[in-house]
């Protein structure tokens, strides 16, 4: 195997709305063939039809609840395609699907905790595990050119000890960030890129309750900026990207503030 294929193919999870939908739109503009994954079949079917007509690409749908073992296995099977069958191998996985539930940990329903961790952590790892070996094999077989790899959508919420979205959500996103940085080192030697993106507040269905609280405009990051910055970082082989100058500054500040300060704030406001 040599050279690069045309078109490239991407899988986008959580593609029915918000950041996932924006990834699908931007990748379609760039000529990617798409596999759109979400629970809402009608929404991704409409999006696939629109993008196919507008950009002349092959956009397919794979309705799935990634917390369901059978559905997850179907997506894993598609991601592991090596190009020898009818399905094209996957050049880029966008691990975007996620769930955020606020509230105090000790009062949170255990089933809600399980569902959040299943989607935010388990599905992210399982899907990456399905696609990365196939991508490494392509590099080892001599395929070069366009980037291969994974973009994982985490959150700046994972960097906060006092988390307005709750400790489970923040903890799940912190795990995704740390794991992404680790696995990025593991696969970089094979010429495969893993990038984690840490968005701040973005207007999506998940943040509808926050949108009603009157946060200032500077707190919000356009989803277009998140997608643009992360795709650029991934193509360049960068491991972590925090879109927006205000959130980059906050991320840098969080690295130098002593943890004792965080603990003091947590005791006061937690």
């Amino acid at each position: 195997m040599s050279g690069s294929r045309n078109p490239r193919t991407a899988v986008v999870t959580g593609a029915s709305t918000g950041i996932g939908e924006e990834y699908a739109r931007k990748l379609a503009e760039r000529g990617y063939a798409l596999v759109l994954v979400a629970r809402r079949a009608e929404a991704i079917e409409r999006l696939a039809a629109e993008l196919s007509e507008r950009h002349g690409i092959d956009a397919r749908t794979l309705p799935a609840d990634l917390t369901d073992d059978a559905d997850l296995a179907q997506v894993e099977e598609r991601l592991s395609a090596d190009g020898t069958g009818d399905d094209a191998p996957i050049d880029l996985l966008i691990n975007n699907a996620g769930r955020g539930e606020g509230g105090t940990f000790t009062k949170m329903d255990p089933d809600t905790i399980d569902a959040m961790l299943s989607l935010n952590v388990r599905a992210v790892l399982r899907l990456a595990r399905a696609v990365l070996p196939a991508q490494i094999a392509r590099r080892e077989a001599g395929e070069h050119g366009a980037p291969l790899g994974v973009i994982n959508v985490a959150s700046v919420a994972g960097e906060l000890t006092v988390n307005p979205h709750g400790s489970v959500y923040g903890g799940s996103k912190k795990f995704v960030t740390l794991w992404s940085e680790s696995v990025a080192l593991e696969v970089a030697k094979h010429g495969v890129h893993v990038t984690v993106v840490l968005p701040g507040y973005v207007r999506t269905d998940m943040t509808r309750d926050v949108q009603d609280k009157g946060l200032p405009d500077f707190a919000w990051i356009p989803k277009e900026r998140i997608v643009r910055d992360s795709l650029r970082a991934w193509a360049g082989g960068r491991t972590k990207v925090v879109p927006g100058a205000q959130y980059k500054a906050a991320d840098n500040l969080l690295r130098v503030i002593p943890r004792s300060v965080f603990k003091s704030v947590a005791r006061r406001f937690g």
Side-chain angles (χ1 to χ4, degrees):
M1 186 182 297
S2 62
S4 60
R5 296 174 303 102
N6 189 23
R8 294 167 288 172
T9 303
V11 171
V12 182
T13 71
S16 60
T17 187
I19 297 173
E21 179 185 348
E22 184 62 22
Y23 271 116
R25 293 186 180 281
K26 286 295 182 288
L27 291 169
E29 289 177 5
R30 299 181 182 199
Y32 275 82
L34 296 174
V35 180
L36 306 180
V37 179
R39 291 182 301 169
R40 296 164 54 190
E42 292 184 2
I44 54 175
E45 286 167 2
R46 287 195 301 269
L47 180 60
E50 176 194 339
L51 296 179
S52 295
E53 181 177 357
R54 178 176 298 180
H55 300 289
I57 61 157
D58 180 18
R60 305 186 183 187
T61 63
L62 186 49
D65 177 352
L66 297 177
T67 66
D68 178 86
D69 285 348
D71 285 5
L72 181 62
Q74 290 184 38
V75 183
E76 288 177 299
E77 182 179 4
R78 180 63 187 90
L79 285 165
S80 63
D82 60 7
T84 59
D86 294 334
D87 291 327
I90 302 303
D91 298 275
L92 173 60
L93 164 64
I94 305 289
N95 253 328
N96 167 73
R99 177 173 176 174
E101 312 287 344
T104 304
F105 171 71
T106 53
K107 296 181 180 179
M108 188 176 290
D109 180 70
D111 290 339
T112 298
I113 294 173
D114 284 348
M116 200 185 322
L117 293 178
S118 180
L119 184 57
N120 292 4
V121 176
R122 180 172 181 260
V124 169
L125 269 65
R126 289 281 295 266
L127 297 185
R129 178 60 181 79
V131 75
L132 287 171
Q135 293 176 335
I136 290 171
R138 288 163 62 187
R139 290 297 195 222
E140 292 178 343
E143 180 176 333
H144 302 290
L148 303 176
V150 177
I151 294 176
N152 295 317
V153 180
S155 172
V156 293
E159 308 303 295
L160 302 174
T161 299
V162 182
N163 197 310
H165 295 287
S167 59
V168 177
Y169 177 77
S172 70
K173 292 302 185 179
K174 182 63 173 179
F175 176 89
V176 170
T177 298
L178 293 176
W179 168 78
S180 297
E181 291 178 310
S182 178
V183 78
L185 292 174
E186 179 182 332
V187 303
K189 60 187 176 184
H190 301 286
V192 175
H193 299 173
V194 171
T195 297
V196 60
V197 54
L198 280 64
Y201 283 112
V202 57
R203 290 183 171 89
T204 65
D205 289 345
M206 188 184 297
T207 61
R208 288 195 183 280
D209 59 332
V210 182
Q211 294 176 44
D212 296 334
K213 294 181 179 179
L215 284 178
D217 287 343
F218 72 81
W220 297 97
I221 295 291
K223 57 188 177 182
E224 295 83 0
R225 175 72 180 271
I226 294 166
V227 171
R228 183 195 69 195
D229 287 4
S230 60
L231 287 174
R232 181 181 299 164
W234 174 75
R238 291 170 54 197
T239 300
K240 177 182 174 182
V241 58
V242 182
Q246 69 275 50
Y247 286 106
K248 288 178 185 176
D251 183 60
N252 290 332
L253 185 61
L254 289 170
R255 296 186 190 191
V256 299
I257 295 177
R259 292 194 62 81
S260 59
V261 174
F262 284 126
K263 291 178 181 178
S264 175
V265 173
R267 282 192 295 268
R268 182 175 181 182
F269 297 103

